Amino acid sequence: MLHNMSTTLEPSSERSAAEVNEEIRALWLRSGGTLSGEQRAEYQRLVQEWAEALPERVEAA
């Protein structure tokens, strides 16, 4: 039996979407609006963390 293993790092602590958003904003400010390759990878990781931190929305029937 084969098992898929995730290669992504899990955040060491659960942060709120607002906390992650602040880090994303700080990254953009530090970069001056243009991300380097390394910064782009960090941005992508942060956006993924932000999306996972959003509360799940339940659609009303």
Side-chain angles (χ1 to χ4, degrees):
M1 176 181 277
L2 296 176
H3 296 282
N4 289 336
M5 292 181 60
S6 173
T7 58
T8 59
L9 297 174
E10 295 297 321
S12 59
S13 63
E14 296 287 326
R15 300 190 295 171
S16 72
E19 290 172 311
V20 180
N21 189 44
E22 284 302 314
E23 190 170 342
I24 291 169
R25 289 173 182 261
L27 174 63
W28 277 106
L29 286 173
R30 285 192 311 270
S31 74
T34 303
L35 299 177
S36 69
E38 186 176 308
Q39 290 170 321
R40 193 172 298 116
E42 176 69 4
Y43 173 75
Q44 290 173 343
R45 184 193 67 75
L46 288 168
V47 169
Q48 181 65 37
E49 183 181 348
W50 173 81
E52 291 171 0
L54 290 174
E56 290 186 31
R57 295 181 184 196
V58 178
E59 296 292 325

